[in-house]
Amino acid sequence: MFYREAGEFKTSYVDDNQTFPIRFDRWRYYAVLAVAFGVVPFFINDYWANAVLLPFLIYSIAAIGLNILVGYCGQVSLGTGGFMAVGAYATYKLMTAFPEVNLFFHVLLAGGITAIVGVLFGLPSLRIKGFYLAVATLAAQFFLVWLFNRVPWFYNYSASGQINAPERTLFGHAISGPASEPWAVYLFCLIFTVGSAIIARNLTRGTQGRKWMAIRDMDIAAEIIGVNPLTSKLTAFAVSSFFVGIAGALFFAVYLGAVEVGEVYGINKSFLVLFMIIIGGLGSIFGSFAGAAFLVLLPVFLKNLLVGTLGWPTDLAAHLELMIVGLLIIVFLIAEPHGIAQLWRVTKEKLRLWPFPH
């Protein structure tokens, strides 16, 4: 009975257009932020940080970026792993070239560099779309991985071809390198995740978001009513690549610490992020978080169940995990194409109407 709009009056356009119009939704949002910032850092340990929380936060940023491009603008992309690699290598070059600059600014600059690269590879979207655009972005994926493997300048002429994150501190606490503290790294990633979600939410609810959705629904009709397809598509690629670049930078600098581009940012990474937004829900910021949480928690749960509890071999459990993920993708595409986000919307609508049947 507490999830109601009755008695909540809007007296201005600002109140009427707020992100969470129902008071309970706003309280829930503030409560989640309070727990994330004020409670979790005091209880976090290495296992929870490395197995659950950091992958969830970083993949959420990547899923938000891809969802802007695919879910809101309707431009198919299979180059997410390559763009994450751009963010990682840009961060590495910045960290080694400017060691006196804070890592926070390196990550932002890496996102900006990735946005420029994303615009360059987004130019074909002005002429092609659908399957052909997917092939073009897939070519970008392979080209970027090949580039970072073949040009020694990107990995500072290392004999192994691997890049390693130097140790960096923030307010006296290590956030990269082997001495990094789990709670500090978690808060560092959480700030980027919350900031990315707020920016993406406001962009998609504003004028730019309406332009993206007009292009997604019917680009010819959108152009007739005054939407410029050139700027709309390229801004979608730029914003999407910016978030994906930040995710790639965090994945390298504060999570893994050492990266070999072909193994970490290969085509599997692109498909993983794509599966996240498919399962979570296209065209939904919440769906990006839901899909990331689902595909991060599912392997951990299956590993603990099959290997830890039932004693199955690790390789058999890994193959079964892939089968389950594939099956779930098929189920969501058939039963609920809009993903977990739509299930959450339906649940909230039923709560608002309960106990009435209509």
Side-chain angles (χ1 to χ4, degrees):
M1 298 297 291
F2 51 84
Y3 194 66
R4 290 289 187 272
E5 289 183 88
E8 297 187 20
F9 303 103
K10 313 296 189 304
T11 58
S12 66
Y13 287 114
V14 175
D15 292 338
D16 193 46
N17 291 322
Q18 56 191 329
T19 302
F20 301 105
I22 300 179
R23 188 179 297 116
F24 179 76
D25 284 337
R26 293 196 295 275
W27 291 347
R28 177 166 48 85
Y29 170 74
Y30 295 139
V32 170
L33 287 182
V35 171
F37 280 99
V39 177
V40 174
F42 294 99
F43 296 95
I44 193 173
N45 54 31
D46 285 329
Y47 173 78
W48 279 98
N50 295 321
V52 177
L53 294 176
L54 292 185
F56 164 67
L57 294 175
I58 295 171
Y59 279 126
S60 295
I61 300 175
I64 288 172
L66 186 61
N67 219 336
I68 287 176
L69 185 62
V70 179
Y72 285 97
C73 196
Q75 309 301 301
V76 183
S77 175
L78 296 178
T80 309
F83 294 128
M84 290 180 70
V86 174
Y89 277 79
T91 306
Y92 174 68
K93 294 299 293 185
L94 291 170
M95 291 175 73
T96 53
F98 306 99
E100 69 280 358
V101 179
N102 193 283
L103 180 59
F104 181 86
F105 299 105
H106 287 325
V107 173
L108 291 179
L109 287 173
I113 293 172
T114 311
I116 296 173
V117 176
V119 169
L120 293 177
F121 285 103
L123 290 174
S125 67
L126 304 178
R127 292 294 182 184
I128 58 177
K129 57 184 177 180
F131 171 76
Y132 300 98
L133 180 59
V135 172
T137 55
L138 186 61
Q141 163 74 38
F142 290 118
F143 171 76
L144 290 171
V145 172
W146 173 87
L147 182 68
F148 294 132
N149 264 326
R150 294 297 180 180
V151 180
W153 179 82
F154 287 109
Y155 49 84
N156 286 349
Y157 304 94
S158 169
S160 64
Q162 180 176 282
I163 58 175
N164 297 278
E167 183 173 325
R168 293 291 182 267
T169 60
L170 184 64
F171 301 117
H173 298 281
I175 54 176
S176 67
S180 59
E181 304 173 67
W183 67 269
V185 175
Y186 162 77
L187 286 177
F188 187 74
C189 292
L190 181 62
I191 290 172
F192 279 101
T193 305
V194 173
S196 300
I198 293 174
I199 293 172
R201 178 63 176 168
N202 283 280
L203 280 174
T204 53
R205 293 176 70 242
T207 303
Q208 190 60 58
R210 289 193 289 271
K211 290 180 180 179
W212 290 338
M213 288 183 278
I215 292 292
R216 175 196 64 191
D217 294 338
M218 187 174 290
D219 52 354
I220 297 177
E223 188 174 3
I224 291 174
I225 63 175
V227 176
N228 189 333
L230 170 66
T231 57
S232 297
K233 291 181 180 180
L234 292 186
T235 53
F237 269 95
V239 174
S240 171
S241 301
F242 177 76
F243 289 134
V244 171
I246 288 178
L250 294 174
F251 202 76
F252 154 68
V254 303
Y255 179 51
L256 294 181
V259 160
E260 198 284 317
V261 63
E263 296 179 0
V264 177
Y265 297 114
I267 186 63
N268 290 337
K269 190 71 67 182
S270 299
F271 283 117
L272 177 62
V273 181
L274 182 63
F275 294 158
M276 287 178 181
I277 64 173
I278 291 175
I279 292 178
L282 294 173
S284 168
I285 303 300
F286 170 77
S288 302
F289 284 98
F294 188 85
L295 287 184
V296 167
L297 292 175
L298 179 64
V300 175
F301 171 75
L302 291 177
K303 184 177 181 180
N304 289 330
L305 175 64
L306 300 178
V307 179
T309 304
L310 301 180
W312 287 20
T314 306
D315 55 346
L316 179 61
H319 286 94
L320 183 61
E321 173 194 328
L322 293 176
M323 294 172 60
I324 293 175
V325 171
L327 178 63
L328 287 173
I329 291 172
I330 296 173
V331 169
F332 271 102
L333 287 175
I334 295 175
E336 186 49 81
H338 297 289
I340 299 175
Q342 179 63 18
L343 297 177
W344 178 241
R345 292 190 200 102
V346 172
T347 301
K348 291 201 299 182
E349 287 300 318
K350 290 185 178 295
L351 285 174
R352 289 169 65 187
L353 295 175
W354 186 87
F356 303 104
H358 57 277

